[in-house]
Amino acid sequence: MSARSYLPALAIWLLACTPVEKQLPPVPPPPPPPDGPATVLVLDVVGNGPLPGISVVVNDADGGYLETLITNDDGIATVEEVPTGGSITVVRPYDNSYDLTTIFEIEPGDELVMGRKAGRDWNYVGSMEVLLPVGPGNNDHYIIHTKCGEEDIGSSTSGDIEFLGFCQDGEFSVFALAQDFPISAYSIYSSGHTFAAGGTIDLTGATWLPGGTYTVALTQLPAGLNYISALWNATEDGFKMGRGYGLDDLDTEPNAVTIDIPSQDGGDGSNVLIELHRSNASDQIIREQRTANRYDNSYPAMALPMLSWPLYSFEDKTLSWSEQIPGAAADAFRAMLFWTTGPDEAPTYFTWTFIGSPERTSLHVPTMPASLGDIEPTFSATSSDTCNQSGCPHIELIETDVSDGYRDMRQEPDVDWRFVDREGNVSGLPPEKRIRISGMFLDMSE
């Protein structure tokens, strides 16, 4: 029997053997959220020890003040009566700054862990010096990458790598770049090193190797894009080590584009960052730690909604935004406000992070008790502006397969979002994981 006649015969046989009355069982409803109080664990930024004596403010769904809890010796505050649709705000004062984090739509059974880079030891443990040979030609700007981070040493051929507690153990690699901006042209890759405080890694006998190209193809692009870039990354243990850069300025509006990205010797190219920009809408960042056969380069399958310009009202204490171009579903939104008060010689810096479900298109800043002082966002002649040393106001939609939806993501937001800093920059990802961001700066003028 030919293949042409075999397929219809198989379909008829399947229909004949399938009882008409048989139906698939209904999909069970999702389990209800667990009963009981919500707990908030507050950790120190450095060392991740528990922080006692920290205020945790509870507000209702409209932002009205309900109560203030204080973390105990174990850094834990317990919300006994969880308000429907309510929020908690953790207020962490430092020497000359305040760090506030609000999590919306809390539920009974939440076990919220607050602490940037939770679960890692961020104490400084020492440094090592790296010695490099002179770069070829005009490639005389040097950057050193390790799993502990990146060090830009400028035109010097020697520089220090700083080590923190979480990255001092085990062997590590050094990935050095010699650049002639804006393109990374030559690299040195050296593996098998171990940390020794005050030690030296001498790479002066190594040879700078020229890079190649890595091709990224994007298809099914939306209308209106005016800038696309792709960034190649070598990685070790999920940390950025090296990078190349590719760019396509869009004079027209193609449905597809292919970008050849400069790449460097010594990395597998398994981490590619794609940025899509549209005038008067949010920018898109798409990163996937992947294998070549797994990568999905179709725009509709990758892109979150593009946001219109968000607005913040100091009078109403309300932040609002909307979707300019629809896209795939996000897991959560994160908004960040920055402001500075006081005289220039003695400023006080404020950072307020808001985390909520992706269905929201607005938020009202929760009311804080007078006992905590004047910590509400302000804009005045004595303020430097609405940016400060920590960053500038912005909002992001975020989706990642490191977490499973908003409820999972809000339990330890600093773990799930450790790949996105306060400026929206993305660092390394675990193997076979993806993160997508749609971000836009805020208009906070009065």
Side-chain angles (χ1 to χ4, degrees):
M1 182 180 294
S2 68
R4 185 182 299 273
S5 60
Y6 174 76
L7 292 175
L10 177 61
I12 294 172
W13 182 86
L14 289 173
L15 288 172
C17 296
T18 303
V20 175
E21 68 277 3
K22 185 175 180 180
Q23 297 180 352
L24 295 175
V27 177
D35 295 329
T39 60
V40 184
L41 169 61
V42 183
L43 300 173
D44 195 348
V45 173
V46 177
N48 299 306
L51 277 181
I54 298 298
S55 297
V56 177
V57 180
V58 183
N59 294 82
D60 62 25
D62 296 322
Y65 172 73
L66 295 177
E67 63 175 332
T68 300
L69 307 172
I70 304 298
T71 57
N72 61 20
D73 290 343
D74 296 321
I76 296 175
T78 301
V79 185
E80 298 289 352
E81 298 294 332
V82 181
T84 302
S87 66
I88 60 101
T89 299
V90 177
V91 183
R92 286 169 283 190
Y94 298 100
D95 291 340
N96 64 336
S97 64
Y98 282 85
D99 194 329
L100 298 88
T101 301
T102 295
I103 298 184
F104 292 103
E105 295 110 4
I106 63 172
E107 293 178 321
D110 277 349
E111 296 179 351
L112 308 171
V113 179
M114 306 301 300
R116 192 161 171 246
K117 308 292 186 181
R120 287 183 175 171
D121 180 0
W122 286 79
N123 287 298
Y124 172 75
V125 295
S127 64
M128 296 185 69
E129 184 181 24
V130 177
L131 305 178
L132 301 173
V134 175
N138 293 326
N139 294 275
D140 55 1
H141 187 105
Y142 305 99
I143 298 178
I144 304 169
H145 299 267
T146 72
K147 65 178 181 179
C148 288
E150 172 186 313
E151 298 292 339
D152 188 330
I153 61 176
S155 59
S156 174
T157 55
S158 66
D160 291 336
I161 308 170
E162 294 187 348
F163 286 80
L164 306 176
F166 75 87
C167 63
Q168 66 175 317
D169 296 331
E171 293 187 347
F172 64 92
S173 301
V174 174
F175 193 103
L177 298 177
Q179 297 179 315
D180 180 8
F181 281 108
I183 301 300
S184 302
Y186 291 85
S187 66
I188 291 173
Y189 177 76
S190 178
S191 60
H193 301 285
T194 57
F195 170 66
T200 299
I201 300 174
D202 189 348
L203 301 179
T204 54
T207 301
W208 291 104
L209 297 177
T213 58
Y214 191 90
T215 301
V216 171
L218 296 171
T219 61
Q220 302 181 43
L221 295 170
L225 294 181
N226 60 342
Y227 175 94
I228 296 176
S229 68
L231 188 72
W232 177 95
N233 281 257
T235 61
E236 178 176 88
D237 297 336
F239 290 86
K240 183 172 66 176
M241 288 181 58
R243 61 174 181 256
Y245 184 72
L247 167 67
D248 187 39
D249 286 311
L250 302 179
D251 296 327
T252 59
E253 295 184 0
N255 179 258
V257 64
T258 299
I259 305 174
D260 290 328
I261 312 170
S263 60
Q264 283 79 46
D265 177 76
D268 57 10
S270 64
N271 196 330
V272 172
L273 172 68
I274 298 167
E275 294 188 35
L276 307 171
H277 303 260
R278 188 179 191 271
S279 297
N280 301 316
S282 58
D283 295 334
Q284 298 279 308
I285 298 174
I286 303 164
R287 170 163 283 171
E288 190 166 10
Q289 177 82 353
R290 59 168 177 78
T291 61
N293 293 332
R294 180 177 178 271
Y295 189 55
D296 181 358
N297 62 4
S298 171
Y299 179 89
M302 297 167 63
L304 297 173
M306 279 191 162
L307 304 177
S308 61
W309 198 280
L311 299 174
Y312 181 77
S313 168
F314 285 96
E315 180 180 357
D316 300 330
K317 297 194 302 179
T318 300
L319 171 63
S320 59
W321 61 94
S322 61
E323 294 183 6
Q324 190 174 93
I325 299 178
D331 288 327
F333 82 84
R334 180 176 73 168
M336 305 194 75
L337 303 182
F338 303 87
W339 71 100
T340 305
T341 62
D344 291 341
E345 61 272 15
T348 301
Y349 301 101
F350 292 85
T351 299
W352 199 330
T353 304
F354 303 89
I355 298 169
S357 63
E359 292 79 19
R360 278 179 171 264
T361 56
S362 67
L363 67 86
H364 183 76
V365 175
T367 300
M368 296 291 104
S371 60
L372 294 179
D374 186 8
I375 57 174
E376 294 185 351
T378 59
F379 184 87
S380 66
T382 60
S383 300
S384 58
D385 51 29
T386 55
C387 301
N388 66 22
Q389 61 181 5
S390 299
C392 293
H394 62 272
I395 183 171
E396 304 151 337
L397 293 176
I398 301 179
E399 184 276 335
T400 173
D401 51 11
V402 175
S403 293
D404 184 16
Y406 176 57
R407 182 179 177 88
D408 181 38
M409 182 174 273
R410 71 173 179 260
Q411 305 307 311
E412 287 190 85
D414 294 318
V415 170
D416 295 331
W417 291 348
R418 63 175 174 260
F419 316 110
V420 190
D421 67 16
R422 288 176 169 176
E423 290 292 339
N425 299 312
V426 185
S427 61
L429 281 176
E432 305 302 322
K433 296 297 182 181
R434 178 196 65 237
I435 191 167
R436 303 184 289 192
I437 305 167
S438 179
M440 189 73 168
F441 286 102
L442 303 186
D443 181 359
M444 291 188 65
S445 58
E446 290 189 296

